[in-house]
Amino acid sequence: MLKKSILVLFSVILLLLLSACGMKQKAPVFKGVETVKIIKLTPDNLDLLLYVRLENLNHKDLKVRNFDLKILDGQESPIGKIDVRPWIQLPANRITTVGIPVQLRTRDCVRLINSSFPKVTVYLQGSCQVVVWGISKRIDFHSQYTPVS
């Protein structure tokens, strides 16, 4: 009976330790856009494949999933959406390039470029879920991006 109680206690302590380690994970860091590939341009939409660099500062691999992302203009009005695959695997302590499909409304992009040229600024707003060792944590973010000419 004592052996079983010690085993249960040890299991609970181990679970708590693993939970604490998983919750202290840092969010992936956006390191910039590597390249942009135009997939399709119509009067209504501009479909791009955006290759971004993400850095995982953690000592464990991260699985990032359940994305809810919006692209906003300088006045923080939505101008497009991002469709990310179900999940992205980011190796520990490395910068990884990830291809992300983006769909922008053509008219909103033209308006944004005309109103703010030569310095175009967009915002990325949303949330995602980071998973380490099966333990997940929701991360909210709001980032500004100004391309360098």
Side-chain angles (χ1 to χ4, degrees), residues 78-147:
I79 61 170
K81 65 179 181 176
I82 298 176
D83 293 322
V84 182
R85 57 188 132 172
W87 55 272
I88 295 172
Q89 186 80 27
L90 299 176
N93 297 312
R94 291 188 41 204
I95 295 175
T96 305
T97 301
V98 179
I100 300 175
V102 176
Q103 186 177 68
L104 302 171
R105 291 190 297 272
T106 306
R107 287 179 184 88
D108 292 336
C109 289
V110 170
R111 180 180 42 81
L112 172 65
I113 292 168
N114 284 337
S115 67
S116 57
F117 188 79
K119 189 175 181 182
V120 177
T121 300
V122 294
Y123 297 90
L124 183 63
Q125 179 181 14
S127 63
C128 65
Q129 188 176 26
V130 177
V131 181
V132 178
W133 291 345
I135 301 166
S136 64
K137 177 182 178 183
R138 191 112 191 121
I139 296 174
D140 296 316
F141 52 89
H142 185 90
S143 302
Q144 177 181 337
Y145 178 68
T146 304

Side-chain angles (χ1 to χ4, degrees), residues 46-64:
L46 172 60
D47 294 336
L48 307 170
L49 190 55
L50 193 66
Y51 290 93
V52 298
R53 296 177 52 195
L54 299 173
E55 183 176 16
N56 177 6
L57 298 172
N58 300 288
H59 299 294
K60 300 288 178 199
D61 291 355
L62 290 181
K63 184 185 251 186
V64 186

